[in-house]
Amino acid sequence: MLDKSFDPKEAEARIYKMWEDSGAFKPRAAKPTDTKDDNFSIVIPPPNVTGSLHMGHALNNTIMDILIRFNRMKGKAVLWQPGMDHAGIATQMVVERKLAAEDKFRKNMSREDFLNHVWAWKEESGGIIEQQLRRLGSSCDWSRSKFTLGASPNADAEEKAAQQNMGDGVTKAFVEMYEAGLIYRDKRLVNWDPHFQTAISDLEVETKTVDGHYWHLRYPLADGVTYEHPITDEEGNVTGHETRGYVVVATSRPETMLGDTGVAVHPDDERYAALVGKEIILPLVNRRVPIIADDYADPEKGSGAVKITPAHDFNDYEVGKRTGHELISILDDRGHILPLDIIPEEFHGLFSVKARKLVVAQFDEAGLLTETEKLKIEQPVGDRSGVVIEPMLTDQWFVDAEKMAEQAMAKVNDGSTKFVPENWKKTYDHWMANIQPWCISRQLWWGHQIPAWLLGSGGGKAARWTNAEETQQHRDEDAEFEVIWDKLSNLPVVTADAEQVPSLLLPILNNVDEIALVETIEKTGVLVEVKVKTKLGQALQFTFHQDPDVLDTWFSSGLWPFSTLGWPENTEELARFYPTSVLVTAFDIIFFWVARMMMQGLHFMKDENGEGIVPFDDVYIHALVLDEAGKKMSKSIGNTLDPLDLIDGVTSDVLVEKRTRGLKNPDKAPQIAKATRKAYPDGFEPYGADALRFTLASQAGQGRNIRLSVERIAGYRNFGTKLWSAASFGQMNGCAPVAGFDPSTATLPVNKWIISETAKTAMEISRCIDTYRFNDAADAAYKFTWDTFCAWYLELSKPLLSGEDGTEKDETRATFAWVLDQILKLLHPFMPFITEDLWAKVAEGRDSNLITAEWPTYGDKLVDADAVAELEWLQTLITNIRSVRADMNIPPSKKAPLLLCADTLDPRLDTYAPQLSPMARVEHVELASAVPDNALQTVVDGVQYAIPLAGLIDMDAERKRLAKEIEKAQKEIEQIDRKLGNEAFVAKAPEKVVILQKERRAGYAAEVETLQTALDGLG
RNA sequence: GGGCGAUUAGCUCAGUGGGAGAGCACUACAUUGACAUUGUAGGGGUCACUGGUUCAAUCCCAGUAUCGCCCA
């Protein structure tokens, strides 16, 4: 006996453990006959090690698990590769915050000590998200889980061996890309995050619109120069001129004027033509800077003159480069004004915003502030820190992304990788076509330290001399030292192996001097000391430090599709599972991740012809999960839903507490609490993972966001209960799977019909999953289970199952059990827990688990068109009888005969009398030559039926009902006639369409005729 | 400013060049028989608007409006 309903709390953990213990999550053994199509693989988008499960993960993993389970059941060798991302900035931030709470600060620690703290934290909480993914039912091969940063220094030997390639791969990738000229070190303007004091990439910068000001500043001209500046009215007409000894520039960041190197005007701007080449005396700092002509200045904007601060503005940087300006950096790493000689002392050390106020005040005081304009300005902020990003001139490492993007675009264009839905290709193309150099160095500690050695300060220059001879000798040596120093300090030494540093130095040095000997004298950790023997025979000592910076996390994430498979080792998994079958992700990381994987995959993975191999055949981009109001879920808005709360249930008190805890803006708490209580006054019931998964799948329409509806989750939980109860019915009626049952041998039309429908549904679901139409697949499974199987077949089978023992009963029992088995299989990818539980419970001693059962692929051969037609007729008949009875308010308890108004009795009516009785409340069936008075009438396939119900029918209402039906049908006929009467339609429309319309017309005409007869018969 | 997308039943959303759909909600009826986490039946839509293409447009094209997102 089955319990009353499925208990997710009890079953989920038990079943998940059973799966994992059974080894079902590991790919099956390779077969000699396996082709590429027999291997199916997905790499998980690695969640941040700091992360916890959110709805986006739930959707993402549900989709992947559907694909994985489906393909596993189809008999493919399936690998779902899990792992986690070290998430440089995010993790370092979390750990620093945690340490700060204990009054410990990174600045006061050694790098090693700090990293020990991070690793300890990772060990402690890094596994949480993997546990949470298990709760969803994700069938990843956890034994292969990888971490982008490799193993912890304290890990055991086994773990170290398993993760070894993760770090080695990153180093190898960096070195090879450097050697190929795809990575370079450069001093450039980068996005600087003053909070984390690191460079970040363009993608990590968000633009926010905030209230700001435009300050209009007067810059006096040097040497008493004046010019005639036109005065214009509101419509822009010149009404006169005034003599000016200044130009006006407008800026939202006046403090940058401390680093101005000029003022630009447009070359065609007649107003300022005479000023080009003249100079300005910058107020406050009293520096002379030139007025230059450059296209960047827009005559339409403001005064038409713009200040140029090449070291603190990306546009100005370009102008500065074009016009050969020097670069003046005025900010330190924290965004404070540097104590430069050229900057007045009162600004030294001021935070940029404070400096801004002081600059404005001083301009105002000097009468040089002409206007303060309030307006919205676009402000760049760090996506992690939330602080204003400063363009800063620093030495960083870059990937020449433009070069790599070419092939990455070409491979999508030629279809090697397909985007689903297709329109995301445009987004990808657009970004790739406009790609900028990718800044990959970060001034952090948590990450892959860059495998490059840089010349450190304090080399072997310490020798001092006492007499003239020595002095001269040392001067010579010193000169040699300078030559070597200059040469080396321009070039980082990039190598995976510190031992190689000296040998890499040789070719560099040989070009400039006759260096005889380079040897390592000491190598400790990140420090390499080399001895260089000069032509004077002197041994000079140089110290190289490993670059303290680490790589952008996405650099290692870009290697994920092959690093997780063992690269740079040549592993079996790499051969079997690369390229991966599909990448499943949300659109927001197409640039961050998908694009980088394409570029790096194509660079490192080559076929026998040296042609790059794409990392995945398909990229399926799914929606974002929004709240019920269509807003992005966010902690600060307090509208997040924790998938585990929906699985396990939660009270509204706990929900409110979770949503209001740790808010950036605690003032919002009461508002969030109120909204939460209003939306979910009773919290959530424990709906279970299956219901959540099914809801997400059913809403995963392509190219749409998902507004997660809790009501729908409840609906799909009910669906599970429905399935459970149908299984329970089967069990009570002896419908156990029959070994060796061949569905094609069924004889009863009702069984042949449900078998046909099963086969059709299986084809439909397969097709939908194969084409990533998860909502359609879920719908098809839902409809078949609830409507076709439970509502129709189950009711139709009741008379057979409760009837006399015999072959018909046996066949029906076997069919019922077979169909239920197919349903469990078809639903398994969507609802793995309840289906696996039922699989075991509806049959004793199965020899396999559902997770590895064979997917139904019967094709058309089980479809019996005659049986389908017969049962469709029966369903129409039953539906029509129910409908007319309901229209006339005939209570279901009142049974009535069914009269067939024809010459001969349709034998089918006899056959299905046992079904018609309970389902259509038919007492018995008989032939009638005429419709009696006081009867309801209906038409099926042009045949008239009557249901005599003397005394129960309001004949007036029946007349109205019939008239209404006739009218309805006639309207259809009119519409069709209009079409058929149109010569152009008959001439130009495809014959199929014309025939279809004619058939439809005939059908309606027959109906009208019969209904009219019925109506006339009522008098 | 550039780009992408959306607009279909009260709500949330499918869908298609030729018959307007689902779930929820709503209305009526039902209640010992798998299931009330239920059953049966029903009502409800100018498919945003304006033009065009077509024999035929909710669907294709153009424009307008509104909303959303991405990039600058």
Short mmCIF file of all heavy atoms in Angstrom, two decimals, chain A residues 4 704 707 711 721-722 725 773 786 798 982 985 988 990, chain B residues 7 12-15 18-19 24 34-37 39 55:
data_model
loop_
_atom_site.label_atom_id
_atom_site.label_comp_id
_atom_site.label_asym_id
_atom_site.label_seq_id
_atom_site.Cartn_x
_atom_site.Cartn_y
_atom_site.Cartn_z
N LYS A 4 -0.60 7.96 1.77
CA LYS A 4 -1.62 8.83 1.19
C LYS A 4 -1.02 9.77 0.14
O LYS A 4 -1.61 10.05 -0.88
CB LYS A 4 -2.31 9.64 2.28
CG LYS A 4 -3.53 10.37 1.77
CD LYS A 4 -4.41 10.81 2.93
CE LYS A 4 -5.39 11.90 2.51
NZ LYS A 4 -6.21 11.57 1.35
N ARG A 704 12.48 34.79 -22.33
CA ARG A 704 11.60 35.51 -21.44
C ARG A 704 12.13 35.43 -20.04
O ARG A 704 12.75 34.45 -19.66
CB ARG A 704 10.21 34.84 -21.43
CG ARG A 704 9.35 35.38 -22.52
CD ARG A 704 8.27 36.20 -21.92
NE ARG A 704 7.18 36.32 -22.89
CZ ARG A 704 6.13 37.09 -22.67
NH1 ARG A 704 6.04 37.75 -21.55
NH2 ARG A 704 5.20 37.18 -23.56
N ARG A 707 8.73 35.14 -13.95
CA ARG A 707 8.22 35.67 -12.68
C ARG A 707 7.78 34.47 -11.88
O ARG A 707 6.84 33.78 -12.24
CB ARG A 707 7.00 36.55 -12.92
CG ARG A 707 7.32 37.82 -13.63
CD ARG A 707 6.17 38.78 -13.46
NE ARG A 707 6.26 39.86 -14.41
CZ ARG A 707 5.45 40.89 -14.43
NH1 ARG A 707 4.45 40.95 -13.56
NH2 ARG A 707 5.59 41.85 -15.30
N GLU A 711 2.13 30.25 -6.26
CA GLU A 711 0.88 29.50 -6.50
C GLU A 711 1.11 28.36 -7.48
O GLU A 711 0.53 27.29 -7.36
CB GLU A 711 -0.18 30.43 -7.07
CG GLU A 711 -1.02 31.09 -6.00
CD GLU A 711 -2.06 32.02 -6.60
OE1 GLU A 711 -2.14 32.10 -7.84
OE2 GLU A 711 -2.78 32.65 -5.80
N THR A 721 0.92 14.92 -6.37
CA THR A 721 -0.05 14.16 -5.58
C THR A 721 -1.00 13.39 -6.50
O THR A 721 -1.38 12.25 -6.23
CB THR A 721 -0.86 15.11 -4.68
OG1 THR A 721 0.06 15.88 -3.92
CG2 THR A 721 -1.78 14.34 -3.76
N LYS A 722 -1.37 14.02 -7.59
CA LYS A 722 -2.26 13.39 -8.56
C LYS A 722 -1.61 12.11 -9.10
O LYS A 722 -2.23 11.05 -9.16
CB LYS A 722 -2.53 14.37 -9.71
CG LYS A 722 -3.55 13.89 -10.71
CD LYS A 722 -4.93 14.12 -10.19
CE LYS A 722 -5.98 13.64 -11.18
NZ LYS A 722 -7.32 13.71 -10.59
N SER A 725 -1.50 9.45 -6.50
CA SER A 725 -2.77 8.80 -6.23
C SER A 725 -3.20 7.89 -7.38
O SER A 725 -3.83 6.86 -7.16
CB SER A 725 -3.81 9.88 -5.90
OG SER A 725 -4.84 9.88 -6.79
N ARG A 773 13.12 23.20 -25.41
CA ARG A 773 11.80 23.79 -25.13
C ARG A 773 11.24 23.13 -23.89
O ARG A 773 10.35 22.29 -23.94
CB ARG A 773 10.88 23.61 -26.33
CG ARG A 773 11.50 24.16 -27.64
CD ARG A 773 10.50 24.13 -28.76
NE ARG A 773 9.36 24.96 -28.45
CZ ARG A 773 9.29 26.26 -28.74
NH1 ARG A 773 10.27 26.85 -29.37
NH2 ARG A 773 8.22 26.94 -28.43
N TRP A 786 -2.13 14.16 -16.43
CA TRP A 786 -3.36 14.55 -15.73
C TRP A 786 -4.59 14.31 -16.60
O TRP A 786 -5.53 13.62 -16.20
CB TRP A 786 -3.28 16.03 -15.31
CG TRP A 786 -4.25 16.42 -14.24
CD1 TRP A 786 -5.60 16.20 -14.25
CD2 TRP A 786 -3.97 17.05 -12.98
NE1 TRP A 786 -6.17 16.66 -13.09
CE2 TRP A 786 -5.19 17.19 -12.29
CE3 TRP A 786 -2.80 17.53 -12.38
CZ2 TRP A 786 -5.29 17.79 -11.03
CZ3 TRP A 786 -2.90 18.13 -11.13
CH2 TRP A 786 -4.13 18.26 -10.45
N LYS A 798 -11.65 1.70 -15.43
CA LYS A 798 -12.26 1.21 -14.18
C LYS A 798 -13.19 0.01 -14.39
O LYS A 798 -13.08 -0.98 -13.66
CB LYS A 798 -13.00 2.35 -13.48
CG LYS A 798 -12.10 3.18 -12.58
CD LYS A 798 -12.88 4.31 -11.91
CE LYS A 798 -11.93 5.18 -11.10
NZ LYS A 798 -12.60 6.39 -10.60
N ASN A 982 -14.41 33.53 -52.11
CA ASN A 982 -13.38 34.41 -52.64
C ASN A 982 -12.56 33.65 -53.69
O ASN A 982 -11.84 32.71 -53.37
CB ASN A 982 -12.50 34.86 -51.48
CG ASN A 982 -11.42 35.82 -51.92
OD1 ASN A 982 -11.16 35.97 -53.13
ND2 ASN A 982 -10.79 36.47 -50.96
N PHE A 985 -8.93 33.24 -53.14
CA PHE A 985 -8.57 32.25 -52.12
C PHE A 985 -8.51 30.86 -52.74
O PHE A 985 -7.52 30.14 -52.58
CB PHE A 985 -9.59 32.27 -50.98
CG PHE A 985 -9.42 31.13 -50.00
CD1 PHE A 985 -8.36 31.11 -49.12
CD2 PHE A 985 -10.34 30.08 -49.98
CE1 PHE A 985 -8.21 30.06 -48.23
CE2 PHE A 985 -10.18 29.03 -49.08
CZ PHE A 985 -9.11 29.02 -48.21
N LYS A 988 -5.51 30.72 -55.17
CA LYS A 988 -4.13 30.90 -54.71
C LYS A 988 -3.75 30.12 -53.45
O LYS A 988 -2.57 29.81 -53.26
CB LYS A 988 -3.87 32.40 -54.47
CG LYS A 988 -3.86 33.20 -55.75
CD LYS A 988 -3.30 34.58 -55.50
CE LYS A 988 -3.20 35.37 -56.80
NZ LYS A 988 -2.76 36.75 -56.59
N PRO A 990 -3.14 27.12 -50.94
CA PRO A 990 -2.77 25.73 -51.19
C PRO A 990 -4.01 24.82 -51.11
O PRO A 990 -4.92 25.08 -50.32
CB PRO A 990 -1.79 25.40 -50.06
CG PRO A 990 -1.57 26.63 -49.30
CD PRO A 990 -2.46 27.70 -49.78
P U B 7 4.56 39.77 -26.27
OP1 U B 7 3.96 38.45 -25.95
OP2 U B 7 4.96 40.11 -27.64
"O5'" U B 7 3.60 40.91 -25.74
"C5'" U B 7 3.27 40.99 -24.34
"C4'" U B 7 2.52 42.26 -24.08
"O4'" U B 7 3.37 43.37 -24.46
"C3'" U B 7 1.23 42.37 -24.88
"O3'" U B 7 0.15 42.79 -24.06
"C2'" U B 7 1.55 43.41 -25.95
"O2'" U B 7 0.43 44.22 -26.26
"C1'" U B 7 2.64 44.25 -25.29
N1 U B 7 3.53 44.85 -26.28
C2 U B 7 3.54 46.23 -26.40
O2 U B 7 2.87 46.96 -25.69
N3 U B 7 4.37 46.73 -27.37
C4 U B 7 5.17 46.00 -28.21
O4 U B 7 5.87 46.59 -29.04
C5 U B 7 5.11 44.56 -28.03
C6 U B 7 4.31 44.05 -27.10
P U B 12 0.29 40.08 -14.52
OP1 U B 12 1.35 40.91 -13.92
OP2 U B 12 -0.31 40.42 -15.82
"O5'" U B 12 0.80 38.58 -14.60
"C5'" U B 12 1.58 38.04 -13.53
"C4'" U B 12 1.99 36.63 -13.87
"O4'" U B 12 0.80 35.79 -13.96
"C3'" U B 12 2.64 36.45 -15.23
"O3'" U B 12 4.01 36.81 -15.20
"C2'" U B 12 2.43 34.96 -15.47
"O2'" U B 12 3.33 34.18 -14.72
"C1'" U B 12 1.03 34.75 -14.92
N1 U B 12 0.00 34.84 -15.97
C2 U B 12 -0.26 33.68 -16.68
O2 U B 12 0.32 32.63 -16.45
N3 U B 12 -1.20 33.80 -17.66
C4 U B 12 -1.91 34.94 -18.00
O4 U B 12 -2.74 34.89 -18.90
C5 U B 12 -1.57 36.10 -17.22
C6 U B 12 -0.65 36.02 -16.26
P C B 13 4.71 37.23 -16.56
OP1 C B 13 6.14 37.00 -16.35
OP2 C B 13 4.23 38.57 -16.92
"O5'" C B 13 4.10 36.21 -17.61
"C5'" C B 13 4.90 35.61 -18.56
"C4'" C B 13 4.30 34.27 -18.93
"O4'" C B 13 2.88 34.20 -18.68
"C3'" C B 13 4.38 33.94 -20.42
"O3'" C B 13 5.69 33.50 -20.73
"C2'" C B 13 3.37 32.81 -20.54
"O2'" C B 13 3.89 31.59 -20.10
"C1'" C B 13 2.28 33.28 -19.56
N1 C B 13 1.13 33.91 -20.23
C2 C B 13 0.23 33.10 -20.94
O2 C B 13 0.44 31.88 -20.97
N3 C B 13 -0.83 33.66 -21.56
C4 C B 13 -1.01 34.97 -21.49
N4 C B 13 -2.07 35.48 -22.10
C5 C B 13 -0.11 35.83 -20.78
C6 C B 13 0.94 35.27 -20.18
P A B 14 6.16 33.53 -22.21
OP1 A B 14 7.62 33.49 -22.19
OP2 A B 14 5.47 34.57 -23.00
"O5'" A B 14 5.62 32.10 -22.65
"C5'" A B 14 4.86 31.97 -23.78
"C4'" A B 14 4.43 30.54 -23.91
"O4'" A B 14 3.11 30.40 -23.34
"C3'" A B 14 4.27 30.11 -25.36
"O3'" A B 14 5.49 29.65 -25.88
"C2'" A B 14 3.22 29.02 -25.25
"O2'" A B 14 3.77 27.82 -24.74
"C1'" A B 14 2.30 29.62 -24.19
N9 A B 14 1.29 30.50 -24.79
C8 A B 14 1.12 31.86 -24.62
N7 A B 14 0.11 32.37 -25.27
C5 A B 14 -0.43 31.27 -25.93
C6 A B 14 -1.52 31.13 -26.79
N6 A B 14 -2.30 32.14 -27.15
N1 A B 14 -1.80 29.89 -27.27
C2 A B 14 -1.01 28.87 -26.91
N3 A B 14 0.05 28.87 -26.10
C4 A B 14 0.29 30.12 -25.65
P G B 15 6.08 30.30 -27.20
OP1 G B 15 7.29 29.55 -27.57
OP2 G B 15 6.14 31.76 -27.04
"O5'" G B 15 4.91 29.97 -28.24
"C5'" G B 15 4.56 28.61 -28.49
"C4'" G B 15 3.29 28.57 -29.28
"O4'" G B 15 2.22 29.19 -28.53
"C3'" G B 15 3.32 29.34 -30.59
"O3'" G B 15 3.90 28.56 -31.61
"C2'" G B 15 1.84 29.60 -30.84
"O2'" G B 15 1.18 28.45 -31.33
"C1'" G B 15 1.34 29.88 -29.41
N9 G B 15 1.35 31.31 -29.08
C8 G B 15 2.35 31.99 -28.41
N7 G B 15 2.09 33.25 -28.24
C5 G B 15 0.85 33.43 -28.84
C6 G B 15 0.05 34.60 -28.97
O6 G B 15 0.30 35.74 -28.57
N1 G B 15 -1.14 34.35 -29.64
C2 G B 15 -1.51 33.12 -30.12
N2 G B 15 -2.69 33.07 -30.74
N3 G B 15 -0.79 32.01 -30.01
C4 G B 15 0.37 32.25 -29.35
P G B 18 -1.43 29.84 -39.98
OP1 G B 18 -1.49 30.23 -38.57
OP2 G B 18 -0.78 28.60 -40.37
"O5'" G B 18 -2.91 29.87 -40.56
"C5'" G B 18 -3.82 30.84 -40.06
"C4'" G B 18 -5.14 30.72 -40.78
"O4'" G B 18 -4.91 30.77 -42.20
"C3'" G B 18 -5.91 29.43 -40.51
"O3'" G B 18 -7.29 29.75 -40.64
"C2'" G B 18 -5.51 28.55 -41.69
"O2'" G B 18 -6.55 27.63 -42.04
"C1'" G B 18 -5.43 29.59 -42.80
N9 G B 18 -4.53 29.31 -43.90
C8 G B 18 -3.41 28.52 -43.94
N7 G B 18 -2.79 28.56 -45.10
C5 G B 18 -3.57 29.43 -45.86
C6 G B 18 -3.42 29.87 -47.19
O6 G B 18 -2.52 29.60 -47.99
N1 G B 18 -4.43 30.75 -47.57
C2 G B 18 -5.46 31.14 -46.76
N2 G B 18 -6.34 31.98 -47.29
N3 G B 18 -5.62 30.74 -45.51
C4 G B 18 -4.64 29.90 -45.15
P G B 19 -8.23 29.98 -39.47
OP1 G B 19 -9.32 29.10 -39.90
OP2 G B 19 -8.48 31.42 -39.19
"O5'" G B 19 -7.39 29.40 -38.19
"C5'" G B 19 -7.84 29.66 -36.87
"C4'" G B 19 -9.21 29.10 -36.69
"O4'" G B 19 -9.21 27.83 -37.39
"C3'" G B 19 -9.61 28.82 -35.26
"O3'" G B 19 -10.73 29.62 -34.94
"C2'" G B 19 -9.96 27.34 -35.20
"O2'" G B 19 -11.28 27.12 -34.79
"C1'" G B 19 -9.83 26.87 -36.65
N9 G B 19 -9.07 25.64 -36.75
C8 G B 19 -7.71 25.48 -36.79
N7 G B 19 -7.34 24.23 -36.93
C5 G B 19 -8.52 23.54 -37.00
C6 G B 19 -8.76 22.15 -37.13
O6 G B 19 -7.95 21.26 -37.25
N1 G B 19 -10.13 21.87 -37.14
C2 G B 19 -11.12 22.81 -37.01
N2 G B 19 -12.36 22.36 -37.03
N3 G B 19 -10.92 24.10 -36.88
C4 G B 19 -9.60 24.39 -36.88
P C B 24 -5.29 24.98 -12.39
OP1 C B 24 -5.24 23.94 -11.34
OP2 C B 24 -6.43 25.02 -13.33
"O5'" C B 24 -5.17 26.42 -11.71
"C5'" C B 24 -4.19 26.64 -10.70
"C4'" C B 24 -4.09 28.12 -10.40
"O4'" C B 24 -3.74 28.84 -11.62
"C3'" C B 24 -5.37 28.80 -9.95
"O3'" C B 24 -5.63 28.59 -8.58
"C2'" C B 24 -5.07 30.25 -10.25
"O2'" C B 24 -4.21 30.81 -9.29
"C1'" C B 24 -4.33 30.13 -11.59
N1 C B 24 -5.25 30.28 -12.73
C2 C B 24 -5.61 31.59 -13.10
O2 C B 24 -5.16 32.55 -12.46
N3 C B 24 -6.47 31.77 -14.13
C4 C B 24 -6.94 30.71 -14.79
N4 C B 24 -7.78 30.94 -15.80
C5 C B 24 -6.59 29.37 -14.43
C6 C B 24 -5.75 29.21 -13.41
P A B 34 -12.00 4.96 -7.08
OP1 A B 34 -12.41 5.91 -8.09
OP2 A B 34 -11.51 3.63 -7.47
"O5'" A B 34 -10.94 5.64 -6.11
"C5'" A B 34 -10.05 4.82 -5.39
"C4'" A B 34 -8.71 5.49 -5.26
"O4'" A B 34 -8.06 5.50 -6.57
"C3'" A B 34 -8.81 6.98 -4.87
"O3'" A B 34 -8.84 7.10 -3.47
"C2'" A B 34 -7.52 7.54 -5.47
"O2'" A B 34 -6.40 7.25 -4.66
"C1'" A B 34 -7.40 6.75 -6.77
N9 A B 34 -8.04 7.40 -7.91
C8 A B 34 -9.30 7.18 -8.38
N7 A B 34 -9.61 7.89 -9.44
C5 A B 34 -8.46 8.63 -9.68
C6 A B 34 -8.14 9.58 -10.66
N6 A B 34 -8.97 9.96 -11.62
N1 A B 34 -6.90 10.12 -10.62
C2 A B 34 -6.07 9.74 -9.65
N3 A B 34 -6.26 8.85 -8.66
C4 A B 34 -7.48 8.33 -8.74
P C B 35 -9.69 8.28 -2.83
OP1 C B 35 -9.57 8.12 -1.38
OP2 C B 35 -11.02 8.31 -3.47
"O5'" C B 35 -8.90 9.58 -3.27
"C5'" C B 35 -7.60 9.83 -2.74
"C4'" C B 35 -7.00 11.01 -3.47
"O4'" C B 35 -6.91 10.70 -4.88
"C3'" C B 35 -7.82 12.28 -3.43
"O3'" C B 35 -7.56 13.01 -2.25
"C2'" C B 35 -7.33 13.02 -4.67
"O2'" C B 35 -6.11 13.68 -4.41
"C1'" C B 35 -7.08 11.87 -5.64
N1 C B 35 -8.18 11.68 -6.59
C2 C B 35 -8.15 12.37 -7.81
O2 C B 35 -7.19 13.11 -8.04
N3 C B 35 -9.16 12.20 -8.69
C4 C B 35 -10.17 11.39 -8.40
N4 C B 35 -11.14 11.26 -9.30
C5 C B 35 -10.24 10.68 -7.16
C6 C B 35 -9.23 10.85 -6.28
P A B 36 -8.76 13.45 -1.31
OP1 A B 36 -8.25 13.50 0.07
OP2 A B 36 -9.94 12.64 -1.64
"O5'" A B 36 -9.05 14.95 -1.77
"C5'" A B 36 -7.99 15.88 -2.03
"C4'" A B 36 -8.54 17.30 -1.94
"O4'" A B 36 -9.72 17.39 -2.78
"C3'" A B 36 -8.98 17.73 -0.55
"O3'" A B 36 -8.61 19.08 -0.37
"C2'" A B 36 -10.47 17.62 -0.57
"O2'" A B 36 -11.10 18.61 0.24
"C1'" A B 36 -10.78 17.93 -2.04
N9 A B 36 -12.01 17.31 -2.50
C8 A B 36 -12.18 16.05 -2.99
N7 A B 36 -13.40 15.78 -3.35
C5 A B 36 -14.08 16.95 -3.08
C6 A B 36 -15.43 17.31 -3.22
N6 A B 36 -16.34 16.49 -3.72
N1 A B 36 -15.78 18.55 -2.85
C2 A B 36 -14.84 19.37 -2.35
N3 A B 36 -13.54 19.15 -2.17
C4 A B 36 -13.23 17.90 -2.55
P U B 37 -7.23 19.44 0.18
OP1 U B 37 -6.68 18.33 0.99
OP2 U B 37 -7.35 20.78 0.77
"O5'" U B 37 -6.38 19.51 -1.16
"C5'" U B 37 -6.35 20.68 -1.95
"C4'" U B 37 -5.43 20.41 -3.11
"O4'" U B 37 -4.11 20.19 -2.57
"C3'" U B 37 -5.81 19.15 -3.89
"O3'" U B 37 -5.61 19.37 -5.26
"C2'" U B 37 -4.87 18.08 -3.34
"O2'" U B 37 -4.46 17.15 -4.34
"C1'" U B 37 -3.64 18.92 -2.95
N1 U B 37 -2.88 18.36 -1.78
C2 U B 37 -1.59 17.91 -2.01
O2 U B 37 -1.08 17.93 -3.10
N3 U B 37 -0.94 17.44 -0.91
C4 U B 37 -1.41 17.38 0.37
O4 U B 37 -0.70 16.95 1.26
C5 U B 37 -2.75 17.87 0.53
C6 U B 37 -3.43 18.32 -0.52
P G B 39 -9.16 17.13 -10.60
OP1 G B 39 -8.30 16.56 -11.65
OP2 G B 39 -9.21 18.58 -10.38
"O5'" G B 39 -10.64 16.63 -10.85
"C5'" G B 39 -10.90 15.25 -11.04
"C4'" G B 39 -12.36 15.02 -11.16
"O4'" G B 39 -13.02 15.44 -9.93
"C3'" G B 39 -13.06 15.84 -12.22
"O3'" G B 39 -12.89 15.27 -13.50
"C2'" G B 39 -14.50 15.78 -11.75
"O2'" G B 39 -15.07 14.51 -12.00
"C1'" G B 39 -14.30 15.94 -10.23
N9 G B 39 -14.39 17.35 -9.81
C8 G B 39 -13.36 18.16 -9.36
N7 G B 39 -13.77 19.36 -9.02
C5 G B 39 -15.13 19.34 -9.27
C6 G B 39 -16.11 20.36 -9.08
O6 G B 39 -15.96 21.50 -8.66
N1 G B 39 -17.38 19.92 -9.45
C2 G B 39 -17.67 18.66 -9.93
N2 G B 39 -18.94 18.43 -10.24
N3 G B 39 -16.77 17.71 -10.10
C4 G B 39 -15.53 18.11 -9.74
P C B 55 -2.24 38.03 -53.33
OP1 C B 55 -2.07 37.03 -54.40
OP2 C B 55 -2.25 39.49 -53.65
"O5'" C B 55 -3.58 37.71 -52.53
"C5'" C B 55 -4.84 38.06 -53.10
"C4'" C B 55 -5.92 37.33 -52.36
"O4'" C B 55 -5.77 35.90 -52.60
"C3'" C B 55 -5.86 37.43 -50.85
"O3'" C B 55 -6.47 38.61 -50.39
"C2'" C B 55 -6.62 36.19 -50.41
"O2'" C B 55 -8.00 36.36 -50.51
"C1'" C B 55 -6.17 35.17 -51.46
N1 C B 55 -5.03 34.35 -51.01
C2 C B 55 -5.26 33.34 -50.06
O2 C B 55 -6.41 33.20 -49.62
N3 C B 55 -4.24 32.57 -49.64
C4 C B 55 -3.01 32.77 -50.14
N4 C B 55 -2.04 31.98 -49.71
C5 C B 55 -2.75 33.79 -51.11
C6 C B 55 -3.77 34.54 -51.51
#
